[in-house]
Amino acid sequence: MWLPVFNNVNDYWQAQGLPLFYTKNLNRQVFNKMTKNFYITSPIYYVNDVPHIGHAYTSIACDVMARFRRLEGYDVRFLTGTDEHGQKVEKSAIAKGIAPLEFCDQVSAKFRQLTQILQLSNDDFIRTTEARHKISAQEVWKRLEANGYVYKGVYEGWYAVRDEAFYSADEIVDGKAPTGAEVSWEKQESYFFKLSAFQDKLLTLYEAAPDFVQPAGKMNEVLSFVKGGLNDLSISRNSFAWGVEVPKALLGATRESPVQDASSKPHIMYVWLDALTNYISALGFPDEKSELYQKFWCNTDKSPVHVVGKDILRFHAVYWPAFLMAANLPLPHSVYAHGCWTNEGQKISKSVGNVIDPLAELEWLKSFGLDDDAALDYFKYFLMREVPFGNDGDYSRAHLITRLNAELANNIGNLAQRSLSMIYKNNNAKIVDFKGYKEASELLKNGYELQEKFSAKMNQFAYDLAIGEVIGFASLCNQFINEKAPWNLKKEGKIEEMNQVLSVMAEGLRLISLALAPFLPNLSKKIQNILQIDEKNVIIASMNEEFALKAGHEIKEPKAIFPRLEVK
Ligand code: MSP
């Protein structure tokens, strides 16, 4: 089948002539020309566990993209939160001897605190126990039902509470789920979602929008799962109580689903149907006219994008678009699945007792003499730089020290320290005109090309490579200052050239600080503060010659910004 290339999946549906999408996308085309709206979400985290490095990692990755898009001039909405329903949470609360909501309040507060400690720039924090979410999840259910995709039956099969997922018999390995989770055989009355009706529609979607799942390699996994055939999904249970109740009103006898038996216990929505809906609950759904919903679900650019760990890709790339199509709602732009961290080579698990606590890592970094802001930036930089986003990675303190000392302390730090202090001491803190300085033209050309190269990598979530571009340029700057040796030029009395070399370095640092701002918000700001860059010019679009530091521009007294991590 020949398929034209579409910019996003909703444009594709528009071309298919679906009326709802058609009108929505006419808006999209007009609005996108005028506004740049960007919506990014992290998964909402289960409250049965305290926050660990995995949660911090996903949230930081979202934060970096949110900051980058803001620096690109987008109106950004970044959502995170907690997933508080389901058997797993109910069990944890019972084990603690407290009511589920009280238990959720306690753990959710820890996740919220983590967002503050990590200085995440999230605009909202949603909890699935909030009224705004329950209304939204119930509305989605009603639409699935009204459109004929829900029926009543009996579920019989394997269920893993830890994963809150169903498994077929052929997926069970040595009596356990493929993830290693304990499973139990369940047989109970349940409502089902006709997922099987979406196999072709999903395959058409993946074909029309090959970047719906990123990075590219991950699409194959999704494709083979969907091509393997989709079973209808059990979306309610009445064997436990902690969750969003299935709305009764619509479960009428006129359709396949009979009215709920008054004597039976109420059905609770499957936690994944409940949880996935959070992404639109937080935008005001079911009020589809709400400003946030219009702006960030219907009229966005390069988004909505859901960033998730590879462990939950199936839920986001298969179930979620199927639910949305069934409810006749617009689809997200893409789902980005990243890899998992191991601890010094070992899988992170509570039972092994090797869970990495991000707060402990920040404390450890502070033991080298870093303040809160620097420790945080160093930690974030390592996580984003060390491992290609999408691959699994190993967390090792030794690697962290090597990486940070090489790239931040020795490379950028050294460049800043040497050049800025010489400008301050030797030229009354003033930049000189360097436009006519031919010897630096190649280096500056490289610097001004950085914007495009860096942004291209950022657009692919290739954080490690995006940083790599910046580090590559910083190395060129260091090479230049070493070759020109302004300290010798000074001795030789070549003061004009000395000042030109140093000013070019300051300009290089301006570009470096702008590109690294999404990763190192605190430390980049320190460079920008010394360079006295106007806040309104702290944007990606100023990484060019037009915004270059001008002759006579004065810098502030430099202070060391990137301390070395000295192992005693
Ligand atoms: N509540 C569901 C998500 C619902 S979204 C609608 C859930 N929660 S979770 O608490 O288990 O968080 C899972 C997410 O945490 C993963 O998808 C991943 O983003 C992150 N990580 C958890 N452990 C991780 C690692 N060891 N390494 C990297 N990230 C991991 O699933």
Side-chain angles (χ1 to χ4, degrees):
M1 176 168 62
W2 176 83
L3 279 167
V5 177
F6 292 95
N7 288 331
N8 56 57
V9 293
N10 290 316
D11 287 354
Y12 173 74
W13 290 113
Q14 177 196 335
Q16 298 301 301
L18 278 172
L20 180 83
F21 296 107
Y22 185 74
T23 44
K24 286 243 154 79
N25 286 296
L26 278 184
N27 285 346
R28 176 186 285 267
Q29 282 166 9
V30 177
F31 281 125
N32 281 350
K33 301 273 182 307
M34 297 185 291
T35 56
K36 297 202 311 189
N37 302 325
F38 185 78
Y39 184 41
I40 188 162
T41 66
S42 82
I44 46 170
Y45 304 108
Y46 285 132
V47 288
N48 64 302
D49 207 358
V50 290
H52 62 67
I53 195 163
H55 308 126
Y57 181 59
T58 317
S59 292
I60 290 169
C62 292
D63 182 62
V64 165
M65 186 52 72
R67 288 175 187 271
F68 172 66
R69 293 285 181 229
R70 285 191 199 101
L71 292 178
E72 276 197 320
Y74 278 80
D75 194 346
V76 171
R77 191 125 189 121
F78 164 23
L79 175 72
T80 187
T82 42
D83 187 355
E84 309 188 5
H85 291 135
Q87 236 175 315
K88 183 152 73 167
V89 173
E90 193 179 62
K91 280 189 169 179
S92 302
I94 291 169
K96 280 216 156 190
I98 53 175
L101 186 59
E102 192 185 340
F103 173 74
C104 292
D105 287 346
Q106 287 175 8
V107 188
S108 180
K110 291 193 180 137
F111 278 96
R112 201 186 283 266
Q113 185 198 21
L114 184 73
T115 65
Q116 282 150 9
I117 293 173
L118 296 177
Q119 299 176 9
L120 299 183
S121 61
N122 58 301
D123 302 280
D124 196 353
F125 184 102
I126 192 161
R127 299 181 55 187
T128 53
T129 46
E130 289 173 57
R132 61 170 172 163
H133 172 70
K134 287 188 194 165
I135 293 165
S136 156
Q138 288 185 325
E139 178 61 24
V140 168
W141 178 290
K142 286 181 195 167
R143 293 193 189 189
L144 299 185
E145 223 216 321
N147 293 342
Y149 292 109
V150 177
Y151 65 93
K152 198 170 190 179
V154 171
Y155 178 75
E156 199 170 353
W158 295 106
Y159 191 77
V161 174
R162 195 186 83 186
D163 303 342
E164 297 283 15
F166 302 99
Y167 291 104
S168 61
D170 57 350
E171 285 180 294
I172 303 298
V173 189
D174 299 331
K176 290 196 171 167
T179 55
E182 298 291 337
V183 289
S184 59
W185 184 260
E186 305 250 336
K187 184 176 178 184
Q188 55 175 278
E189 177 192 89
S190 169
Y191 287 96
F192 282 82
F193 170 67
K194 282 187 192 162
L195 183 63
S196 55
F198 289 89
Q199 182 177 17
D200 289 346
K201 292 191 176 92
L202 286 167
L203 292 174
T204 313
L205 160 69
Y206 305 144
E207 201 173 348
D211 61 350
F212 184 74
V213 175
Q214 293 175 53
K218 292 278 192 318
M219 180 55 114
N220 297 332
E221 264 172 52
V222 173
L223 275 176
S224 70
F225 176 72
V226 175
K227 281 183 181 160
L230 295 174
N231 295 325
D232 288 349
L233 192 67
S234 164
I235 51 165
S236 82
R237 304 212 280 150
N238 63 357
S239 55
F240 68 98
W242 185 238
V244 178
E245 259 187 50
V246 167
K248 287 192 190 110
L250 266 169
L251 293 171
T254 49
R255 277 185 296 278
E256 275 178 83
S257 12
V259 182
Q260 260 190 41
D261 178 357
S263 62
S264 73
K265 284 198 280 174
H267 273 255
I268 298 298
M269 277 169 66
Y270 175 40
V271 65
W272 272 100
L273 173 55
D274 157 356
L276 287 161
T277 308
N278 91 87
Y279 301 131
I280 52 176
S281 314
L283 297 177
F285 184 83
D287 177 5
E288 288 168 87
K289 292 203 176 71
S290 88
E291 197 192 329
L292 287 179
Y293 182 80
Q294 277 301 316
K295 234 174 131 173
F296 295 107
W297 197 259
C298 304
N299 297 297
T300 55
D301 182 29
K302 301 186 183 81
S303 65
V305 52
H306 303 303
V307 177
V308 299
K310 63 179 184 182
D311 52 328
I312 57 171
L313 175 59
R314 187 186 293 184
F315 300 96
H316 285 80
V318 181
Y319 299 172
W320 180 225
F323 292 149
L324 288 168
M325 285 190 237
N328 210 17
L329 293 169
L331 306 179
H333 173 273
S334 47
V335 177
Y336 194 100
H338 65 70
C340 282
W341 284 90
T342 50
N343 183 358
E344 312 273 352
Q346 263 199 315
K347 196 169 180 245
I348 296 176
S349 106
K350 243 191 192 168
S351 50
V352 179
N354 64 349
V355 172
I356 301 168
D357 173 4
L359 305 185
E361 294 313 289
L362 291 174
E363 285 309 311
W364 170 70
L365 276 164
K366 283 196 262 173
S367 73
F368 289 94
L370 304 185
D371 64 16
D372 285 2
D373 285 355
L376 178 62
D377 279 16
Y378 270 37
F379 182 60
K380 294 202 287 195
Y381 180 93
F382 175 70
L383 293 180
M384 297 297 112
R385 169 65 166 150
E386 183 71 0
V387 177
F389 200 51
N391 291 11
D392 290 343
D394 188 41
Y395 187 85
S396 140
R397 285 184 171 182
H399 291 171
L400 182 148
I401 292 174
T402 310
R403 172 74 72 182
L404 294 170
N405 280 346
E407 296 186 351
L408 294 186
N410 296 354
N411 195 339
I412 301 177
N414 201 14
L415 176 69
Q417 189 61 20
R418 291 193 289 178
S419 52
L420 300 179
S421 56
M422 270 192 91
I423 295 176
Y424 191 77
K425 285 188 197 133
N426 294 294
N427 198 38
N428 289 327
K430 290 213 167 49
I431 299 293
V432 299
D433 182 51
F434 53 83
K435 269 198 187 138
Y437 183 45
K438 291 256 167 4
E439 311 250 327
S441 57
E442 190 58 33
L443 180 70
L444 287 167
K445 187 169 159 279
N446 267 299
Y448 297 133
E449 281 168 3
L450 191 57
Q451 178 187 350
E452 208 181 310
K453 290 185 189 163
F454 174 78
S455 300
K457 300 285 185 278
M458 290 299 284
N459 280 328
Q460 299 162 357
F461 280 85
Y463 292 149
D464 62 318
L465 300 180
I467 296 177
E469 293 288 351
V470 186
I471 294 299
F473 174 64
S475 299
L476 290 179
C477 290
N478 268 311
Q479 211 176 316
F480 189 82
I481 195 173
N482 287 342
E483 275 165 19
K484 295 291 167 199
W487 39 92
N488 290 339
L489 293 172
K490 183 180 171 186
K491 281 188 214 143
E492 292 159 17
K494 295 178 178 163
I495 301 303
E496 190 190 349
E497 188 172 5
M498 174 195 80
N499 284 330
Q500 284 169 324
V501 171
L502 294 171
S503 295
V504 169
M505 296 300 103
E507 174 66 354
L509 283 162
R510 182 182 75 86
L511 300 171
I512 292 166
S513 79
L514 291 171
L516 289 184
F519 299 94
L520 301 171
N522 297 313
L523 300 179
S524 291
K525 204 170 186 172
K526 284 192 176 170
I527 302 182
Q528 288 151 7
N529 192 24
I530 295 171
L531 292 175
Q532 293 284 288
I533 299 173
D534 200 332
E535 218 166 297
K536 74 174 191 310
N537 291 336
V538 178
I539 46 173
I540 297 293
S542 72
M543 290 175 65
N544 55 34
E545 215 174 334
E546 191 192 326
F547 289 82
L549 296 172
K550 305 276 178 301
H553 181 89
E554 202 172 314
I555 67 165
K556 281 216 305 217
E557 183 173 9
K559 295 207 171 62
I561 300 174
F562 297 96
R564 264 185 75 79
L565 303 175
E566 300 288 359
V567 186
K568 282 156 212 139

